[in-house]
Amino acid sequence: MQDLAETAKALVAEGKGILAADESTGTIKKRLDSIGVESTEDTRRAYRELLFTTEGAEEYISGVILYDETIRQSAADGTPFPKLLESKGIIPGIKVDQGAKPLALAEGETITEGLDGLRERLAEYRELGARFAKWRATYSIEPDKPSEYCVWTNAHALARYAALCQEAGIVPIVEPEVLQDGTHTIEQSRKATGRVLQALYTELHDQRIDFTGTLLKPNMVLSGYEASDRAGVDEVAETTLECFYKHVPAAVPGIVFLSGGQTDEDATAHLNAMNARGPHPWQLSFSYGRALQAPALKAWEGKPENVEAAQRAYYHRAKMNGAARTGMYAPEMEREAAPV
Ligand code: 13P
């Protein structure tokens, strides 16, 4: 368990956070479609290579979450991606859930699948270099949702996943994502997020998880993206912190937020505002997908001549989020340090 705690701590080392590059084949197709690039094994590989070879990203990036296809792929020079990342001091991780599927007898709610055969898959991923893993459960906010049924079945599955990871010597990142779409108030989000976290830590405890060898990847507590009167940065920071102080044990070394459809700059500003109110019992960091990648994807357009511009855009976002780790980010830095 000592190794697990060390890996978890390294993933939330000062000034650093995680790049989520574990989009499933369906999700990465949507991202590539948005820039007019056909999704093939090779375009997906080329895009991930661009990210992983960005010089200096390791100053701000501690780990990268890979997908099953990606962990088996190599850079153009033949270096397997996990080896390439390790050579830069970046820890390779792997998404192991098999997606959120309709929860039986619960209209509009989901249960995340992927437990069958997980012990064997984890053993193989460890051989391939993975030192941490991710499992994402999703919950919607509506007057009657999330239901207790959805909250507890997903908590149970997250804990079963976490136990198998720790047995395999892999740090589990547990990701309960309360989706922030819709018109809900920040108070409704706080209530749903608290409920989900309370159930999750009950199950993790009951299934014998060593919290020191885990990380939590949650949503921030926000007003719904379509709400008319949305909470500002200070209210988001204070409400999110109040919720986490109440529900997340201090033995957890780090909370690595997902961006979940916030703009890149909002995701950075919110993280910064929380860290500015520190110190906290846990490191507060990032494990962003879209909020780290969006400008790079746009700059790339699938063209080799744009690789450098795309890498500059990714490096810039990593640097801004690195600053937000210590509460030293300011929106002016976007302009001053903007990639040319
Ligand atoms: P976003 O930051 O784009 O929400 O992605 C993080 C992630 O890994 C979702 O599972």
Side-chain angles (χ1 to χ4, degrees):
M1 293 288 175
Q2 184 67 18
D3 286 358
L4 292 176
E6 271 167 28
T7 302
K9 264 198 227 153
L11 286 166
V12 290
E14 204 182 328
K16 292 188 188 184
I18 297 169
L19 166 67
D22 61 324
E23 300 84 359
S24 62
T25 308
T27 303
I28 193 69
K29 180 178 183 316
K30 278 190 228 153
R31 305 274 187 270
L32 293 174
D33 282 350
S34 76
I35 54 160
V37 171
E38 193 193 345
S39 177
T40 65
E41 190 176 340
D42 202 55
T43 55
R44 296 192 290 271
R45 198 204 56 75
Y47 175 59
R48 265 68 180 250
E49 173 164 359
L50 170 170
L51 295 173
F52 304 161
T53 55
T54 296
E55 233 169 273
E58 63 275 13
E59 296 162 50
Y60 312 109
I61 300 295
S62 55
V64 172
I65 317 176
L66 303 168
Y67 181 60
D68 183 73
E69 175 182 89
T70 326
I71 199 171
R72 302 171 196 281
Q73 286 177 322
S74 300
D77 70 0
T79 313
F81 281 150
K83 289 264 172 311
L84 171 69
L85 294 169
E86 271 167 32
S87 72
K88 290 169 171 283
I90 295 176
I91 306 171
I94 180 77
K95 178 229 283 298
V96 301
D97 69 69
Q98 294 179 327
K101 304 288 160 61
L103 177 63
L105 307 182
E107 179 74 36
E109 298 198 290
T110 62
I111 179 75
T112 299
E113 295 188 348
L115 289 169
D116 289 354
L118 183 56
R119 178 178 273 126
E120 292 72 25
R121 288 197 291 129
L122 286 168
E124 189 197 2
Y125 288 139
R126 201 172 193 289
E127 279 293 301
L128 290 167
R131 290 294 172 268
F132 70 102
K134 179 191 112 170
W135 179 288
R136 171 175 177 255
T138 60
Y139 316 81
S140 304
I141 302 178
E142 282 180 44
D144 57 343
K145 292 187 184 81
S147 66
E148 286 294 298
Y149 168 36
C150 174
V151 164
W152 284 97
T153 46
N154 275 295
H156 187 83
L158 275 157
R160 284 193 59 199
Y161 141 81
L164 285 162
C165 284
Q166 290 199 330
E167 182 191 80
I170 288 181
V171 170
I173 296 187
V174 288
E175 181 178 0
E177 178 176 5
V178 180
L179 301 166
Q180 302 297 307
D181 309 288
T183 56
H184 62 260
T185 61
I186 191 167
E187 190 41 45
Q188 284 173 290
S189 175
R190 191 243 163 274
K191 203 169 155 226
T193 305
R195 189 72 202 103
V196 161
L197 291 172
Q198 186 65 33
L200 174 61
Y201 281 99
T202 302
E203 284 289 345
L204 290 173
H205 173 269
D206 288 356
Q207 295 190 43
R208 308 177 177 179
I209 304 306
D210 174 359
F211 294 164
T212 65
T214 66
L215 293 173
L216 172 67
K217 175 165 175 167
N219 53 285
M220 294 181 192
V221 177
L222 307 173
S223 314
Y225 295 131
E226 290 85 42
S228 47
D229 189 18
R230 304 194 61 218
V233 174
D234 290 329
E235 192 177 355
V236 166
E238 277 155 25
T239 311
T240 304
L241 285 170
E242 184 271 325
C243 181
F244 286 73
Y245 267 81
K246 198 157 173 186
H247 295 290
V248 183
V252 173
I255 297 176
V256 294
F257 290 99
L258 59 92
S259 60
Q262 302 178 62
T263 66
D264 351 313
E265 293 189 23
D266 277 357
T268 308
H270 288 148
L271 178 64
N272 185 69
M274 287 188 264
N275 276 314
R277 287 162 169 78
H280 302 299
W282 350 259
Q283 292 293 313
L284 292 184
S285 185
F286 57 90
S287 174
Y288 294 160
R290 284 162 286 179
L292 273 170
Q293 296 184 45
L297 189 64
K298 215 167 135 208
W300 180 48
E301 294 178 322
K303 298 181 183 145
E305 64 269 28
N306 292 343
V307 163
E308 231 175 89
Q311 291 184 326
R312 276 201 301 273
Y314 165 54
Y315 178 84
H316 176 71
R317 287 265 46 90
K319 183 173 176 178
M320 295 300 100
N321 286 303
R325 285 282 282 109
T326 51
M328 297 302 284
Y329 166 81
E332 303 77 65
M333 290 162 65
E334 299 286 353
R335 257 83 43 206
E336 283 163 23
V340 281

